[in-house]
Amino acid sequence: MSVSKPLPHDAARLHVTGAARYVDDIPTPARCLHLAFGLSQVAAGRIKSIDLEAVRHAPGVVGVWEANDLPSDCDCSPSAHDEPMLSGKTIHYFGQPVFLVAATSYLAARKAVKAAEILFETRDAILTIDDALAAESRFEDGPRVWSKGDAGEAIDTAPHRIEGEIEMGGQEHFYLEGQTALAIPQEGGDILVHASTQHPTEIQHKVAHALHLPMHGVRVETRRMGGGFGGKESQGNALAIACAVVAAKTGRPAKMRYDRDDDFMITGKRHDFRIAYRAGFDAEGRVLGVEFVQYARCGWAQDLSLPVADRAMLHADNAYHLPAIRIESHRLRTNTQSATAFRGFGGPQGMLGIERVMDHVAHHLGTDPLAVRRANYYAAAQDVDAGGGPAPRSAQPNAPRDISGPKKDADSTTRGASPTVSQMPGAPQPDRVRAPQHQTTPYGQAVTDFILHAMTDRLERDADYTKRRETIAAWNAQSPVLKRGIALTPVKFGISFTLTHLNQAGALVHVYQDGSIAMNHGGTEMGQGLFQKVAQVAASRFGLSPEAIRITATDTAKVPNTSATAASSGSDLNGMAVKAACDTIRDRMAEHLARLYQTEPGTVRFADGHVHVGDAVLSFGEAATLCYEGRVSLSSTGFYKTPGLQWDRIKGRGRPFFYFAYGAACTEVVVDSLTGEYRILRADILHDCGTSLNPALDIGQIEGGYVQGVGWVTTEELVWDSEGRLRTHAPSTYKIPACSDRPDVFHVALWDGANREDTIYRSKAVGEPPFMLGISALMALSDAISAHGSRYPDLHAPATPERVLSAIQRVRDGD
Amino acid sequence: MAQLLRRIEGATLEQGQFWYSGRFFTMDITFLLNGESVSLRDVAPTVTLLDWLREERGLTGTKEGCNEGDCGACTVMVADVEGAKALNACILFLPQLHGKAVRTVEGLSGPDGGLHPVQSAMVDHHGSQCGFCTPGFVVSMAVAHLNGDTAHDDALAGNLCRCTGYAPIIRAAQAAEQAPVPDWLEPAKGFRMPQQPAPLDMAPDSADALADALLRTPDATLIAGATDVGLWVTKGLRDLGPVLFLGRCTDLQQIEETEDGLRIGAAVTMDRMLLAMRDRHPSYAEMIRRYGSAQVRAAATIGGNVANGSPIGDNPPALIALDARLHLRCGQDRRVMAIEDFFIAYGQQDRAPGEFVEAITIPVQKDRLRVYKLSKRFDQDISAVCGAFSITVEDDIVTAARIAFGGMAGIPKRASHVERALVGKPWSDATLASTQDAWEEDFAPMTDMRASAGYRLDSARNMLRRYFLEDRGEAVSVLEVTP
Ligand SMILES: Cc1cc2nc3c(=O)[nH]c(=O)nc-3n(C[C@H](O)[C@H](O)[C@H](O)COP(=O)(O)OP(=O)(O)OC[C@H]3O[C@@H](n4cnc5c(N)ncnc54)[C@H](O)[C@@H]3O)c2cc1C
Ligand code: FES
Ligand code: FES
């Protein structure tokens, strides 16, 4: 069967020959206009005067527009209708588009922009978390608070207590392909948009809104993106709308591509967070109560900040059963780029909060942080041997198990309940874990699939963690300048959109009379290999090899009302929808062929490129021809919605996630105490993809996710100056990991076990979870720094060499 | 392109001719593109190869990721008689290609469509995800493969990938190491080398011709590797006016042993500088290994790095610590100065109109040089601080010290107070401690997005300590620790 095969990316050959087409590679249509935005040069205030005469007369310029020249507000927001494409008089951030230029060439448009004369009247900008708190500048009326048990009481009465704070910076997506869109006018006022977007339907919706067209008047096509990472979920709206508006106004095609510096200045990034914490725990490090106050810097517009901040709250437990917890979340509004989706979507920030607590607790007790982590793990899932034996690998779907629907949820653990019965983690006994009551997350979802005990055991063994910790301690004792550190951290990541209705997908499959197949679904390809995985699913349904399947561009005219390719959901949702479509066609074919050959439809088999009907063996092409001649419809849509979800985000209760994906990473670093420079020496990763649809692509996501996560916590520093101007606005100043930054030794293994939920071939989502494996690098740095003294390093992220050096100085001064 | 022409200062006369500052310049650029000869008579001299490939030739395999030399998505292979190099097409002006052979990703596969070994290795090892960085990687890998270079991390330091985490790309590069160079890329077989091209006025072919041209057009912008000037055009959107390219002055590209020491022509690129320093001053060579990336080192010249007067250039501190001399030339007049005297103040150098850097000499000396380049990221990152130390110790007494820094002041600057606090003292912990205050007398660095003033001072101080410990044989570099 074609699923589970480590096949290359479907476009690999096109990538390596330069033949893969991205939006800007589409041959520029005749008379195409090129667009550029003129950007605000202050962070907050009003436009006192604006003179665009010189822009209008610059060579090649065809049109110049300000906000009030547009047919509508051209709102670009994915949520709150608070993002007009052009600023109007009021300025909300440094880099906000103020006017739009169309010219006959890309360079002409960019040069023309520089001729603008704008006088700004500035007011004090709200830039930092503290500024926003002082000004009560926030989204939603006040902080969101979710709690379970009485955390304050539990902390105050606990034998040990710590408190602290961790700052974590944002992160620029740095998709290698910048934001791009191309709009081509069609007959009758319709518009075709080619966009580099994770969310074609939203582009369609926003363009239709801007032009006062019904959605059927706008078609959006996306063949591939040169990386997305969440940065193309909503941030491409402005370009697509701009192109569509200009195309509609001029009747000419219009293309817009942000210069890299503009891309940095205009678009949103990962939310930076400050998380203050207080925890009470026992002598083993078991957390009895914990309080988090999460401050998220959301930027000027709401965008996706609410669900991002929700997801940070939803991951405040990571892998740990926290009997009493209170999470307070502030969504702060600042005069900066509007922070947006980025791989993990708040999950990394929430998770880093609790990982920091684990590290701090272990430091306080002087124990191995891994022991503390284990002591706090959720109880193991019922049928997993905690000794490390994987669940049986199975490609055959089992009957789905019923887990907490609303009814069960209502009577599961309540606020004050402390499931002390399962408070013996580390060595779960089979009889105990078989107890009917599951431990629940802070938001009340039962954790039924927890496999991290066994995974941690295996990774600890494979990475030789315990012995290396000793070796490192000995090495550090004789090395005054350089110190090593090691850390093993887990990931438990919830899979599903937290906005429940988004968990749906559609597909369209055609079988042609020669047996070739064209497949389309609502997911977009940004490098993650979704198209190949889904093609493998389709091929498997028909017993064919994936070459028989033609994967076509995502197109709102083929599959409507799609969700963003986000929340790691791409193959879960679209794989199922494609399967449904294939099965419909397959059943129709089987029925017809069975009738022809006078046998039972149930006995018709599709395998090895053939169709077995009774004693006859037909090639798939022959079978397709017979069905066509028998007037059988060989085209079908497919649809899927994730079952069992139910979620109340205000109360913070319910079952937002279909299942959890797990992983663990062990990272070793070496740190120079003279300059704070450091390197990652080795990383070992064990990650859970359920029954992998394609192990090669999954390993690719894990390696890439880890390195991107390491970037977030190490060198990727965003610096805004006191004027609110982003100073790190190009790769010259913003440093994502380069080739030599990957670990010298880098082992990645897949956990061998099926998803307990009935997902596509029992696989698990893999887009986002591995990102958070990178947290182990920050913890390893903290470990190395700790070797310089007795004080806790209090290391913030990103831990640039400068921050590392100052942490070393702190640790030494503390002695 | 006609429109680009008009933007050049002065009028277009006829095809292939420009009028600058009272003089005709002909413009007839010829080079090979994927084996085919190309001749250009009507392009402005600051059109980049990347824009031309994508917009004029429809060769969209070469990508734009940053348009400033930092991501490598635009990497192309450029060969001349010296061999093949990887260069960033986004900051490469068309006249720089005159007489060379360019190969883009489209030209790597065989005539029958067969994949180059690095291409098939990239497919087999899952080296591409979104694929946008891939053409650039593949070209860098093909260049390294052609040159038998297996230091993959160095060869690929200038290619950013946001998807893969690099591991599969390195696996692919390793897998392709042993594969033979395909026929069509063997210089001896299929890979055509360009003929000796016609002279190009804006690219004089000797220092004398350059001196002449510069006298006649003293306001011309000199362009050597264009790793600075390129950004003035792609990011600053500046019209440069008259330009003179140095790339064809072969006599400025020589490295010679002379009586005064090693004489390095101004147009020597950093990759060749690295080779020259490898045996003489290995720490300098190690710094250059981290200078920019393979693509940048193949373009950037030592003359450009000094002449631009940047306070964060990496060569000046090392050259100051080595007591190098700078040779300036104007017409037939030449003058020589200690290199530190060239840097007067931020943005101001001791260079007169019509004058250019001809060479740098490094006196022969016992190697005591250590250069420490400090940045957020090891590779392809501008230094926050670059410290160069040459300290002579005899019988445990410091007898001479030359210490210079980049990133600590508005110019590359010597640490004269620190030097004074060391000379004549015992080479000891106590002496190091006694320099504490001298640092603040020498430097008042600034805070910017690369580092704070405090960190700059602390790490500069600690670099002296690193030098001292290294001298005692202690391990002080994280780059030398193995897992
Ligand atoms: C991606 C990237 C990474 C970089 N990394 C580093 C780094 O790690 N360390 C570092 O120090 N720099 C770095 N740089 C900066 C740059 O590479 C250097 O300053 C380089 O040495 C400039 O040389 P060039 O030949 O490219 O100069 P050009 O750009 O051609 O010219 C630079 C200036 O010098 C003038 N000039 C050139 N040659 C002469 C001459 N012979 N006489 C008089 N004037 C002359 C030019 O007119 C211009 O003003 C980097 C640049 C890029 C784009
Ligand atoms: S486009 Fe990034 S280096 Fe040229
Ligand atoms: S594969 Fe996407 S950037 Fe490298």
Side-chain angles (χ1 to χ4, degrees):
Chain A
M1 210 168 39
S2 121
V3 290
S4 295
K5 287 218 180 89
L7 301 173
H9 192 283
D10 64 277
R13 209 188 148 92
L14 300 178
H15 294 155
V16 301
T17 53
R21 252 191 207 173
Y22 303 79
V23 173
D24 193 42
D25 302 338
I26 296 171
T28 309
R31 303 183 68 242
C32 187
L33 294 173
H34 299 261
L35 313 188
F37 283 131
L39 309 184
S40 156
Q41 300 301 307
V42 301
R46 292 181 61 75
I47 292 177
K48 216 150 91 184
S49 68
I50 176 163
D51 178 357
L52 302 179
E53 269 319 287
V55 181
R56 270 186 197 97
H57 293 109
V61 169
V62 171
V64 179
W65 297 271
E66 293 174 60
N68 52 16
D69 306 324
L70 299 174
S72 66
D73 62 353
C74 292
D75 178 63
C76 304
S77 166
S79 54
H81 207 107
D82 59 350
E83 277 184 65
M85 181 178 80
L86 299 177
S87 65
K89 291 289 173 223
T90 312
I91 300 296
H92 294 285
Y93 74 101
F94 202 121
Q96 182 170 14
V98 174
F99 64 94
L100 173 66
V101 176
T104 49
S105 81
Y106 175 71
L107 215 55
R110 284 181 64 210
K111 285 194 172 184
V113 159
K114 298 191 76 166
E117 304 260 357
I118 309 179
L119 277 180
F120 296 97
E121 195 176 86
T122 56
R123 65 166 172 78
D124 283 347
I126 296 170
L127 298 174
T128 62
I129 285 171
D130 292 318
D131 292 349
L133 286 171
E136 264 300 310
S137 172
R138 58 172 77 239
F139 295 102
E140 300 191 300
D141 23 344
R144 283 258 86 76
V145 179
W146 299 344
S147 54
K148 168 179 163 181
D150 186 342
E153 167 76 16
I155 296 166
D156 292 340
T157 56
H160 300 274
R161 273 181 295 282
I162 51 157
E163 65 177 272
E165 202 169 83
I166 178 168
E167 306 266 356
M168 49 197 94
Q171 186 177 27
E172 161 64 32
H173 303 85
F174 206 77
Y175 23 68
L176 257 281
E177 176 212 25
Q179 305 277 352
T180 315
L182 166 66
I184 305 172
Q186 308 291 297
E187 63 180 30
D190 289 0
I191 288 276
L192 165 63
V193 181
H194 294 276
S196 180
T197 177
Q198 292 172 241
H199 202 347
T201 291
E202 183 161 288
I203 299 262
Q204 180 194 21
H205 179 91
K206 302 306 296 188
V207 166
H209 174 268
L211 296 182
H212 304 296
L213 289 174
M215 282 174 78
H216 70 207
V218 181
R219 184 159 85 78
V220 179
E221 192 178 299
T222 300
R223 173 56 186 91
R224 63 170 59 79
M225 281 160 272
F229 314 111
K232 292 176 181 168
E233 188 166 342
S234 60
Q235 302 301 297
N237 295 354
L239 301 89
I241 294 170
C243 290
V245 166
V246 171
K249 277 191 173 272
T250 62
R252 295 169 69 167
K255 175 149 87 173
M256 188 170 207
R257 160 165 80 87
Y258 288 161
D259 171 68
R260 178 62 68 177
D261 292 66
D262 285 354
D263 204 318
F264 267 83
M265 293 306 286
I266 298 170
T267 65
K269 300 153 204 334
R270 184 185 295 286
H271 293 68
D272 43 4
F273 268 60
R274 175 192 297 162
I275 299 184
Y277 57 88
R278 211 164 75 88
F281 47 98
D282 67 15
E284 261 69 38
R286 265 184 292 257
V287 173
L288 306 171
V290 60
E291 288 171 352
F292 288 111
V293 186
Q294 303 180 337
Y295 302 95
R297 202 170 65 127
C298 302
W300 74 283
Q302 188 170 301
D303 191 77
L304 303 167
S305 292
L306 304 189
V308 166
D310 286 356
R311 194 171 270 267
M313 299 173 84
L314 285 164
H315 288 80
D317 61 335
N318 192 17
Y320 311 110
H321 179 246
L322 304 168
I325 178 168
R326 181 176 186 282
I327 314 161
E328 182 177 307
S329 165
H330 298 257
R331 294 94 197 262
L332 301 169
R333 182 175 176 172
T334 52
N335 294 115
T336 47
Q337 291 82 354
S338 182
T340 190
F342 194 146
R343 203 175 196 172
F345 204 72
Q349 293 95 320
M351 207 177 276
L352 184 49
I354 188 71
E355 288 306 326
R356 170 59 172 275
V357 167
M358 293 294 149
D359 193 58
H360 199 166
V361 166
H363 191 270
H364 183 91
L365 295 173
T367 51
D368 180 350
L370 182 58
V372 171
R373 292 193 162 94
R374 274 199 173 114
N376 286 288
Y377 271 176
Y378 282 104
Q382 291 181 11
D383 52 1
V384 173
D385 169 13
R393 194 189 176 93
S394 133
Q396 274 311 100
N398 306 318
R401 242 163 1 110
D402 171 40
I403 4 173
S404 60
K407 176 166 52 64
K408 190 161 176 192
D409 179 67
D411 59 19
S412 65
T413 315
T414 58
R415 221 162 255 256
S418 174
T420 45
V421 58
S422 42
Q423 275 288 313
M424 297 281 289
Q429 286 110 49
D431 52 341
R432 179 177 57 73
V433 295
R434 220 156 260 151
Q437 197 80 5
H438 288 290
Q439 290 177 337
T440 58
T441 62
Y443 45 90
Q445 173 162 351
V447 179
T448 59
D449 58 1
F450 195 80
I451 50 177
L452 272 168
H453 293 281
M455 289 181 73
T456 306
D457 290 348
R458 190 172 127 198
L459 182 62
E460 182 187 22
R461 223 170 31 235
D462 292 353
D464 206 9
Y465 171 84
T466 312
K467 174 124 159 289
R468 278 166 64 204
R469 240 182 106 75
E470 285 163 18
T471 315
I472 287 168
W475 193 89
N476 286 347
Q478 53 76 46
S479 172
V481 175
L482 305 180
K483 302 279 186 197
R484 296 193 191 205
I486 189 169
L488 193 162
T489 62
V491 170
K492 161 181 145 288
F493 193 77
I495 302 299
S496 288
F497 285 101
T498 55
L499 187 53
T500 302
H501 76 254
L502 297 179
N503 296 289
Q504 58 169 306
L508 177 63
V509 174
H510 304 317
V511 173
Y512 293 97
Q513 51 187 306
D514 63 351
S516 64
I517 295 173
M519 176 196 80
N520 206 273
H521 54 76
T524 55
E525 177 62 47
M526 61 195 99
Q528 80 279 45
L530 172 66
F531 282 17
Q532 180 67 304
K533 282 184 169 184
V534 176
Q536 286 176 258
V537 168
S540 294
R541 302 318 290 172
F542 290 110
L544 299 170
S545 67
E547 300 82 70
I549 316 288
R550 165 69 76 231
I551 308 166
T552 59
T554 313
D555 184 340
T556 56
K558 290 189 180 161
V559 177
N561 308 323
T562 58
S563 296
T565 308
S568 307
S569 67
S571 49
D572 278 13
L573 298 177
N574 296 293
M576 280 298 210
V578 162
K579 173 173 173 273
C582 294
D583 289 357
T584 302
I585 299 173
R586 202 177 65 170
D587 290 351
R588 286 184 200 143
M589 290 176 75
E591 198 177 322
H592 177 70
L593 295 171
R595 205 175 316 121
L596 273 185
Y597 286 85
Q598 312 208 331
T599 165
E600 285 303 307
T603 64
V604 177
R605 277 196 313 118
F606 293 76
D608 316 320
H610 290 92
V611 184
H612 305 258
V613 196
D615 295 335
V617 180
L618 307 169
S619 73
F620 187 76
E622 288 164 350
T625 308
L626 283 176
C627 290
Y628 164 70
E629 287 164 2
R631 296 193 291 175
V632 174
S633 163
L634 291 175
S635 170
S636 175
T637 60
F639 186 76
Y640 175 75
K641 56 185 177 184
T642 314
L645 302 177
Q646 177 271 330
W647 171 237
D648 179 340
R649 68 169 285 270
I650 301 303
K651 292 206 191 87
R653 311 290 302 167
R655 184 196 181 192
F657 301 125
F658 189 27
Y659 62 90
F660 296 101
Y662 297 94
C666 178
T667 300
E668 181 181 341
V669 299
V670 57
V671 176
D672 175 354
S673 59
L674 294 173
T675 55
E677 290 162 290
Y678 50 82
R679 278 193 41 74
I680 297 182
L681 297 173
R682 173 171 169 181
D684 296 79
I685 292 171
L686 182 59
H687 197 83
D688 160 38
C689 306
T691 303
S692 173
L693 285 176
N694 180 324
L697 297 177
D698 283 350
I699 286 175
Q701 289 299 296
I702 297 164
E703 288 171 335
Y706 171 84
V707 169
Q708 200 176 62
V710 167
W712 175 51
V713 295
T714 57
T715 56
E716 293 189 38
E717 187 178 31
L718 290 163
V719 181
W720 283 266
D721 65 17
S722 56
E723 246 70 274
R725 177 194 206 123
L726 179 65
R727 283 290 172 183
T728 48
H729 50 75
S732 49
T733 43
Y734 182 76
K735 309 315 280 190
I736 71 164
C739 191
S740 71
D741 294 314
R742 77 189 187 287
D744 287 345
V745 174
F746 197 5
H747 295 142
V748 175
L750 298 184
W751 177 251
D752 195 8
N755 194 341
R756 280 142 211 279
E757 297 300 335
D758 187 15
T759 52
I760 184 77
Y761 289 96
R762 298 279 165 179
S763 62
K764 282 194 183 183
V766 70
E768 292 163 294
F771 178 88
M772 285 147 279
L773 299 168
I775 292 173
S776 59
L778 187 70
M779 297 301 148
L781 287 171
S782 180
D783 186 47
I785 296 167
S786 298
H788 284 285
S790 56
R791 216 184 116 176
Y792 186 62
D794 270 322
L795 186 61
H796 299 298
T800 55
E802 173 164 358
R803 286 226 175 78
V804 168
L805 188 66
S806 84
I808 291 171
Q809 287 162 349
R810 257 195 316 274
V811 165
R812 283 185 174 152
D813 293 348
D815 281 348
Chain B
M1 278 306 143
Q3 183 201 327
L4 284 170
L5 265 184
R6 256 179 273 121
R7 255 184 267 127
I8 307 287
E9 183 189 300
T12 307
L13 296 174
E14 53 194 74
Q15 278 251 311
Q17 285 193 322
F18 289 106
W19 179 258
Y20 281 150
S21 309
R23 195 168 106 79
F24 291 111
F25 281 83
T26 56
M27 179 74 165
D28 189 354
I29 307 168
T30 55
F31 59 93
L32 295 180
L33 175 63
N34 295 330
E36 302 294 319
S37 181
V38 172
S39 186
L40 301 176
R41 314 201 76 213
D42 57 353
V43 293
T46 56
V47 173
T48 64
L49 174 62
L50 178 64
D51 283 351
W52 181 79
L53 285 172
R54 294 183 57 84
E55 291 171 15
E56 301 299 314
R57 300 296 288 209
L59 288 176
T60 53
T62 308
K63 306 298 182 200
E64 177 181 319
C66 67
N67 214 11
E68 62 164 33
D70 265 290
C71 77
C74 64
T75 306
V76 292
M77 180 190 286
V78 177
D80 56 20
V81 283
E82 308 258 297
K85 292 175 167 193
L87 290 172
N88 288 321
C90 66
I91 48 171
L92 190 56
F93 298 127
L94 290 171
Q96 292 178 269
L97 297 168
H98 189 51
K100 308 205 179 203
V102 179
R103 222 156 247 273
T104 65
V105 66
E106 290 92 347
L108 283 187
S109 319
D112 57 350
L115 295 184
H116 185 285
V118 300
Q119 290 176 315
S120 30
M122 283 287 275
V123 174
D124 295 344
H125 292 268
H126 310 280
S128 70
Q129 288 183 18
C130 80
F132 200 81
C133 70
T134 313
F137 269 96
V138 163
V139 173
S140 287
M141 290 160 79
V143 171
H145 181 258
L146 185 69
N147 295 333
D149 176 4
T150 55
H152 302 302
D153 279 5
D154 291 341
L156 298 178
N159 290 86
L160 295 178
C161 175
R162 193 51 153 167
C163 299
T164 63
Y166 305 99
I169 296 173
I170 295 296
R171 289 195 280 270
Q174 287 166 341
E177 277 171 14
Q178 300 306 324
V181 172
D183 276 1
W184 61 90
L185 283 190
E186 278 285 7
K189 299 184 203 151
F191 194 177
R192 266 175 70 205
M193 278 298 177
Q195 310 290 319
Q196 192 54 31
L200 189 63
D201 281 350
M202 64 176 70
D205 57 9
S206 68
D208 286 344
L210 174 68
D212 247 25
L214 196 53
L215 269 189
R216 274 197 306 267
T217 323
D219 59 335
T221 299
L222 295 181
I223 304 181
T227 59
D228 285 328
V229 176
L231 277 69
W232 305 351
V233 173
T234 63
K235 295 291 166 173
L237 302 175
R238 270 161 66 177
D239 288 326
L240 296 183
V243 291
L244 284 169
F245 290 93
L246 271 61
R248 295 176 53 73
C249 301
T250 39
D251 50 353
L252 289 180
Q253 293 163 14
Q254 305 306 313
I255 301 178
E256 305 157 289
E257 311 251 12
T258 66
E259 277 172 19
D260 305 331
L262 194 69
R263 184 185 162 97
I264 301 155
V268 166
T269 49
M270 293 312 297
D271 53 355
R272 294 187 49 227
M273 185 68 186
L274 187 155
L275 296 179
M277 290 299 109
R278 194 141 68 188
D279 294 330
R280 295 179 174 90
H281 302 291
S283 175
Y284 194 167
E286 167 58 16
M287 181 277 284
I288 299 175
R289 186 189 65 79
R290 289 178 45 211
Y291 179 114
S293 60
Q295 293 92 320
V296 170
R297 290 190 295 273
T301 63
I302 185 132
N305 197 233
V306 171
N308 70 12
S310 162
I312 47 177
D314 285 326
N315 284 293
L319 293 171
I320 295 172
L322 288 173
D323 200 12
R325 311 273 122 180
L326 188 67
H327 301 254
L328 291 168
R329 173 171 179 185
C330 183
Q332 291 310 312
D333 300 335
R334 294 184 165 91
R335 59 191 181 117
V336 184
M337 66 175 81
I339 194 154
E340 63 256 46
D341 296 338
F342 181 66
F343 307 104
I344 300 167
Y346 180 74
Q348 194 192 343
Q349 297 90 38
D350 184 2
R351 182 161 81 89
E355 207 171 25
F356 66 97
V357 176
E358 193 170 32
I360 287 156
T361 43
I362 299 176
V364 179
Q365 57 199 284
K366 184 164 179 291
D367 177 43
R368 291 288 296 165
L369 181 74
R370 290 284 179 283
V371 189
Y372 302 127
K373 178 171 164 68
L374 177 62
S375 45
K376 274 184 208 165
R377 188 174 74 188
F378 282 105
D379 286 321
Q380 173 113 309
D381 197 358
I382 301 293
S383 305
V385 177
C386 183
F389 301 75
S390 183
I391 300 175
T392 311
V393 180
E394 283 163 34
D395 300 326
D396 270 335
I397 301 290
V398 177
T399 55
R402 294 185 64 88
I403 303 176
F405 279 89
M408 295 291 287
I411 51 170
K413 187 166 178 284
R414 270 180 88 165
S416 6
H417 290 87
V418 176
E419 289 174 1
R420 274 200 292 280
L422 289 172
V423 175
K425 307 278 168 45
W427 188 220
S428 67
D429 268 317
T431 301
L432 255 51
S434 75
T435 64
Q436 192 68 9
D437 298 337
W439 290 96
E440 263 141 286
E441 290 172 59
D442 280 326
F443 300 113
M446 65 171 192
T447 294
D448 66 8
M449 67 278 180
R450 292 202 171 86
S452 70
Y455 177 64
R456 285 191 156 107
L457 261 179
D458 285 352
S459 52
R461 274 198 192 99
N462 283 349
M463 282 178 187
L464 175 60
R465 180 150 197 87
R466 184 189 273 176
Y467 186 95
F468 175 76
L469 293 171
E470 215 176 338
D471 209 27
R472 308 239 144 153
E474 257 192 64
V476 288
S477 170
V478 294
L479 292 172
E480 281 158 25
V481 179
T482 47

